[in-house]
């Protein structure tokens, strides 16, 4: 009934190794430009000499991660953090392609300007709404110029006190504006609508949970899908259930992966609860096995590495994501479905536990070796001397540029 995967010395049989290799062949995850820059919390930002200063540094660091892991061919950009006013986005696209990278999801910044004090698209002040809509439409243009399929939208919009906001008015306002944005997008472009229960506002957030993003996305039309940021859930919320529902509704557009102990902590994936990410991957692979449908899902990282060395933290994250995806590919779906139908909860749970506790690292190292990649990317990166090189070069450049690194968020 159960394949004996639990005992550590048990070697995976060829069928299981094939499943792991097939999973690794298809698994790709996008790195965030802001994960390579100096970031912090409201209590401070601890600067790293090696942190990226500009978009070229971010591209160079993202290329390092892709060269070492083979599964991060694109880097997401945050418009106001990555594109200077005068900068031609095409030149950034070309710079990326020169080092084997693509520019990924385009994230407008509709939360940091003073005009957004009471919100962006939900603000009662027409000037703020206009500024936000204009910036988002500019971001759509940039996405087209750099051939990016994804416009990834997160709104800090909300309120801090009861009575402050007409929540229904704001719901209509953001829906109407996003319908206008969708109309400006190409038919093959996807709008990802992210939700977050709180922060930076602490009474209500306009897009606070998956249901609100679902409703607004439905009202916007077929280009809009829901973006699940794993850090944007109340404690104890069953995220994989939300994923299962969005899959069944064909409304799952993508993920912002990170980990958390308390709230939107943006810690490295799998550092606190690796079983959480495994359960999410399991829902996706089980859905595909059961329906034969392979939904297009944008796997992306959204983390701010406030103390860990940023490239190493990103390498840890990518390798952990590969491991957890490979483990989820080992779940025996036929057995699982049979145990579910016969209400054999232990049988069903053991299908997941056996796969989760399987040691896929030998197969993962083998998969890397076959591709001419270092079996252990993190060790290879440490031995490369890249960190010391960039720390020296960027420290000198910061001094030359008179940058003290505490200005913008990323
Ligand atoms: C908001 C968020 C959003 C980004 C930002 C960097 O918390 O998750 O996705 O724009 O982090
Ligand atoms: Mn996010």
């Amino acid at each position: 009934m159960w394949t004996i995967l639990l005992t550590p010395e048990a070697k995976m049989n060829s069928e299981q190794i094939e499943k792991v290799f097939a999973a690794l062949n298809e698994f790709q995850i996008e790195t965030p430009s802001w994960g390579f820059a100096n970031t912090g919390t409201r209590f401070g930002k601890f600067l790293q000499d090696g942190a990226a200063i500009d978009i070229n540094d971010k591209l160079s660091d993202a290329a390092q991660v892709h060269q070492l892991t083979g599964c991060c061919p694109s880097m997401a950009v945050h418009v106001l953090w990555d594109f200077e006013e005068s900068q031609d986005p095409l030149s950034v696209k070309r710079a990326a392609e020169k080092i084997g990278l693509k520019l990924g999801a385009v994230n407008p910044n509709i939360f940091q300007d003073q005009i957004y004090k009471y919100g962006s698209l939900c603000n009662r002040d027409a000037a703020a709404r206009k500024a936000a809509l204009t910036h988002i439409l500019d971001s759509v243009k940039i996405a087209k110029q750099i051939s990016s399929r994804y416009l990834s939208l997160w709104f800090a919009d909300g309120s801090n006190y009861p009575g402050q906001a007409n929540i229904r008015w704001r719901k209509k306002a953001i829906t109407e504006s996003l319908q206008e944005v969708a109309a400006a997008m190409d038919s093959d472009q996807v709008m990802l609508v992210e939700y977050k229960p709180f922060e930076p506002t602490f009474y209500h957030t306009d897009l606070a949970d998956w249901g609100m993003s679902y409703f607004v996305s439905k009202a916007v039309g077929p280009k809009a899908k829901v973006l699940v940021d794993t850090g944007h859930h109340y404690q104890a919320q069953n995220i994989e259930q939300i994923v299962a529902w969005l899959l069944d509704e064909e409304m799952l557009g993508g993920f912002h992966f990170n980990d958390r102990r308390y709230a939107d902590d943006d810690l490295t994936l799998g550092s606190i609860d690796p079983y959480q990410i495994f359960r999410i991957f399991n829902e996706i692979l089980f859905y595909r096995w059961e329906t034969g449908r392979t939904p297009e899902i944008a796997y992306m990282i959204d983390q701010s590495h406030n103390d860990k060395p940023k490239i190493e933290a990103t390498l840890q994250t990518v390798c952990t994501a590969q491991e957890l995806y490979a483990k989820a590919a080992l779940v025996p779906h036929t057995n699982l479905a049979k145990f579910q139908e016969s209400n054999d909860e232990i049988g069903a749970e053991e299908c997941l536990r056996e796969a989760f506790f399987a040691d896929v690292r030998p197969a993962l190292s083998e998969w890397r070796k076959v591709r001419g990649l270092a079996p252990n990317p993190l060790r290879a990166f440490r031995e490369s001397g890249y960190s010391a090189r960039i720390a020296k070069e960027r420290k000198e450049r910061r001094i030359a540029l008179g940058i003290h690194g505490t200005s913008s968020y990323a």
Side-chain angles (χ1 to χ4, degrees):
M1 181 160 61
W2 297 323
T3 48
I4 50 168
L5 268 179
L6 274 176
T7 50
E9 66 282 351
K11 293 270 168 294
M12 277 198 272
N13 60 35
S14 57
E15 185 220 339
Q16 286 151 337
I17 291 174
E18 250 165 62
K19 277 185 176 174
V20 166
F21 272 47
L24 295 171
N25 291 345
E26 67 181 7
F27 183 73
Q28 295 190 330
I29 189 163
E30 185 164 282
T31 55
S33 66
W34 55 95
F36 300 114
N38 274 323
T39 51
T41 71
R42 57 186 163 168
F43 303 108
K45 185 192 280 191
F46 303 102
L47 308 177
Q48 297 180 20
D49 290 342
I53 299 171
D54 58 25
I55 187 69
N56 294 313
D57 296 340
K58 294 167 180 174
L59 289 172
S60 163
D61 297 351
Q64 275 287 309
V65 172
H66 183 46
Q67 276 148 26
L68 287 161
T69 63
C71 66
C72 306
S74 61
M75 180 188 81
V77 290
H78 233 299
V79 175
L80 297 186
W81 295 337
D82 295 323
F83 295 102
E84 309 296 328
E85 202 62 40
S86 57
Q87 194 159 32
D88 167 12
L90 266 178
S91 66
V92 178
K93 178 174 186 260
R94 277 194 283 277
E97 285 161 353
K98 237 195 280 147
I99 54 177
L101 270 185
K102 283 199 309 278
L103 295 180
V106 173
N107 296 256
N109 295 59
I110 33 206
F111 43 83
Q112 63 197 60
D113 298 1
Q114 292 305 310
I115 198 170
Y116 299 138
K117 180 176 180 182
Y118 294 115
S120 64
L121 296 182
C122 303
N123 198 319
R124 300 308 288 257
D125 168 11
R129 296 196 304 278
K130 186 157 182 355
L133 187 55
T134 305
H135 175 62
I136 296 173
L137 293 172
D138 290 347
S139 303
V140 171
K141 285 198 200 86
I142 290 174
K144 290 178 182 176
Q145 282 175 293
I146 65 175
S147 327
S148 169
R149 268 174 63 63
Y150 292 102
L151 177 75
S152 189
L153 300 175
W154 170 67
F155 298 93
D157 294 44
S159 67
N160 280 317
Y161 300 97
Q164 175 184 348
N166 178 328
I167 294 169
R168 290 172 285 100
W169 183 93
R170 297 167 73 95
K171 171 178 176 279
K172 284 192 189 62
I174 193 168
T175 304
E176 281 155 20
S177 292
L178 291 183
Q179 285 164 338
E180 209 174 317
V181 173
M185 294 168 68
D186 290 345
S187 55
D188 67 346
Q189 287 188 302
V190 177
M191 176 192 291
L192 298 173
V193 182
E194 186 172 1
Y195 56 87
K196 183 175 182 179
F198 62 87
E199 190 202 42
T201 58
F202 297 99
Y203 171 67
H204 103 286
T205 296
D206 289 288
L207 295 181
D209 67 20
W210 73 277
M212 297 175 195
S213 282
Y214 175 93
F215 269 91
V216 166
S217 299
K218 278 288 189 185
V220 166
K223 293 174 189 165
K225 303 275 187 196
V226 177
L227 173 62
V228 177
D229 184 315
T230 48
H232 293 181
H233 299 87
Y234 301 111
Q235 284 290 337
Q237 201 162 4
N238 188 324
I239 303 174
E240 61 270 25
Q241 178 184 6
I242 294 170
V243 170
W245 273 60
L246 290 171
L247 283 167
D248 200 53
E249 294 290 320
E250 297 184 6
M251 285 298 288
L252 178 64
F255 290 93
H256 273 180
F257 285 123
N258 47 63
D259 212 334
R260 47 39 156 327
R261 183 75 197 77
Y262 301 103
D264 189 20
D265 311 350
D266 281 347
L267 301 176
T268 43
L269 179 153
S271 58
I272 306 295
D273 183 1
Y275 199 39
Q276 170 63 81
I277 305 293
F278 169 86
R279 297 195 305 271
I280 288 172
F281 285 147
N282 172 60
E283 284 299 335
I284 294 166
L285 296 181
F286 187 45
Y287 166 85
R288 186 168 70 179
W289 172 81
E290 196 171 46
T291 64
R293 284 200 287 270
T294 301
E296 187 202 323
I297 301 171
Y299 294 126
M300 302 175 283
I301 297 166
D302 178 6
Q303 291 168 187
S304 47
H305 307 119
N306 300 336
D307 48 11
K308 280 183 176 179
K310 299 165 192 301
I311 300 170
E312 293 187 14
T314 309
L315 284 168
Q316 258 191 321
T317 296
V318 172
C319 296
T320 305
Q322 284 182 304
E323 277 177 42
L324 294 169
Y325 193 79
K327 287 171 184 277
L330 288 174
V331 173
H333 296 128
T334 309
N335 292 0
L336 178 62
K338 244 196 315 282
F339 288 130
Q340 288 175 343
E341 281 146 26
S342 58
N343 285 324
D344 181 340
E345 72 255 50
I346 291 187
E349 188 195 13
E350 282 304 315
C351 290
L352 271 66
R353 283 169 39 77
E354 283 201 9
F356 180 69
F357 289 112
D359 186 358
V360 297
R361 290 171 297 181
L364 184 47
S365 303
E366 204 46 49
W367 179 85
R368 290 176 180 140
K369 260 187 258 164
V370 172
R371 276 157 189 71
L373 301 168
N376 182 322
L378 189 54
R379 187 178 306 134
F381 175 72
R382 287 194 163 188
E383 288 158 3
S384 73
Y386 182 88
S387 283
R389 261 199 322 280
I390 60 170
K392 182 174 176 305
E393 186 274 325
R394 292 173 189 181
K395 184 172 183 176
E396 286 155 7
R397 191 160 20 114
R398 277 197 177 84
I399 294 162
L401 293 167
I403 297 174
H404 305 295
T406 56
S407 56
S408 88
Y409 172 73

